[in-house]
Amino acid sequence: MKQRDGIQADRVELRARAEDRLREKPRGSQARRRDTTEETQRLVHELQVHQIELELQNEELREAREELEEGLQRYSDLYNFAPMGYLTLDSYGAMRKVNLTGARLLGMERARLVGARLGLFVAAECRPVFDGFLQQVFKSREKQFCDVALCQEQGPGLWVHI
């Protein structure tokens, strides 16, 4: 019920803003002929107010879209260029998103990592711990932590905190 009241209040406020704008900035079609009936004048006024309401809504939508685009760009920059490896897994342990640092840690291009199972990059001795970790995460949907070694082509595995 509160949401409906809020929507109604928004409509009333939008109508008031449109009326104010119409009074401030008369339009050419507002110049009324003396022989125009009162009903026609009222209808013309209603159409003008409605047009201004739509213009105001379009302005608000444009501003909201710009804010969303800026926010998405900031998130994308933070995610992609973070000094920490980030990746998103599906319930099967396949990578859906990987940032640049994560790809560097796994030693492969990001495009090739998408769809690959993270478990394949976990050292063999740590896979049972990692598999149990994944099962627990997706079962409980709660924050979990795990330390495992990643396979490295040269040298000992790199330990990571997941």
Side-chain angles (χ1 to χ4, degrees), residues 134-149:
L134 274 185
Q135 287 176 352
Q136 186 63 29
V137 166
F138 289 110
K139 180 180 174 186
S140 71
R141 298 277 188 203
E142 293 179 5
K143 197 173 200 175
Q144 306 282 327
F145 300 98
C146 169
D147 293 310
V148 296

Side-chain angles (χ1 to χ4, degrees), residues 79 83-89 93-123 127 130 148-154 157-162:
Y79 181 87
M84 184 179 298
Y86 287 110
L87 42 98
T88 305
L89 304 178
M95 291 177 266
R96 293 293 160 225
K97 286 181 76 174
V98 181
N99 74 349
L100 293 170
T101 304
R104 198 172 323 116
L105 289 171
L106 296 173
M108 197 177 285
E109 293 176 24
R110 288 168 51 172
R112 292 184 58 208
L113 289 169
V114 174
R117 293 180 52 121
L118 180 59
L120 298 175
F121 296 89
V122 173
R127 283 195 188 133
F130 179 73
V148 296
L150 297 178
C151 302
Q152 298 287 302
E153 287 185 16
Q154 58 271 54
L158 173 68
W159 283 90
V160 294
H161 181 72
I162 299 176

Side-chain angles (χ1 to χ4, degrees), residues 5-117:
D5 291 343
I7 291 171
Q8 185 64 26
D10 289 346
R11 287 181 181 156
V12 169
E13 193 266 339
L14 181 64
R15 172 71 182 213
R17 286 174 49 205
E19 290 275 1
D20 289 345
R21 189 175 283 186
L22 184 59
R23 276 191 292 277
E24 291 170 7
K25 194 164 125 185
R27 301 195 183 259
S29 62
Q30 192 175 11
R32 298 181 178 132
R33 293 182 9 195
R34 294 180 195 268
D35 61 341
T36 305
T37 65
E38 196 173 300
E39 177 66 15
T40 303
Q41 289 177 358
R42 188 187 67 73
L43 288 174
V44 167
H45 175 79
E46 287 298 314
L47 287 172
Q48 289 173 332
V49 168
H50 185 64
Q51 178 182 357
I52 292 172
E53 287 175 341
L54 291 173
E55 290 170 0
L56 289 168
Q57 288 174 332
N58 281 337
E59 288 172 20
E60 290 172 2
L61 287 172
R62 255 190 306 281
E63 289 170 8
R65 187 187 77 222
E66 288 171 5
E67 287 176 21
L68 283 172
E69 288 173 352
E70 288 171 6
L72 179 60
Q73 185 62 48
R74 279 192 306 274
Y75 165 78
S76 181
D77 289 347
L78 286 172
Y79 181 87
N80 288 319
F81 301 112
M84 184 179 298
Y86 287 110
L87 42 98
T88 305
L89 304 178
D90 65 15
S91 58
Y92 301 104
M95 291 177 266
R96 293 293 160 225
K97 286 181 76 174
V98 181
N99 74 349
L100 293 170
T101 304
R104 198 172 323 116
L105 289 171
L106 296 173
M108 197 177 285
E109 293 176 24
R110 288 168 51 172
R112 292 184 58 208
L113 289 169
V114 174
R117 293 180 52 121

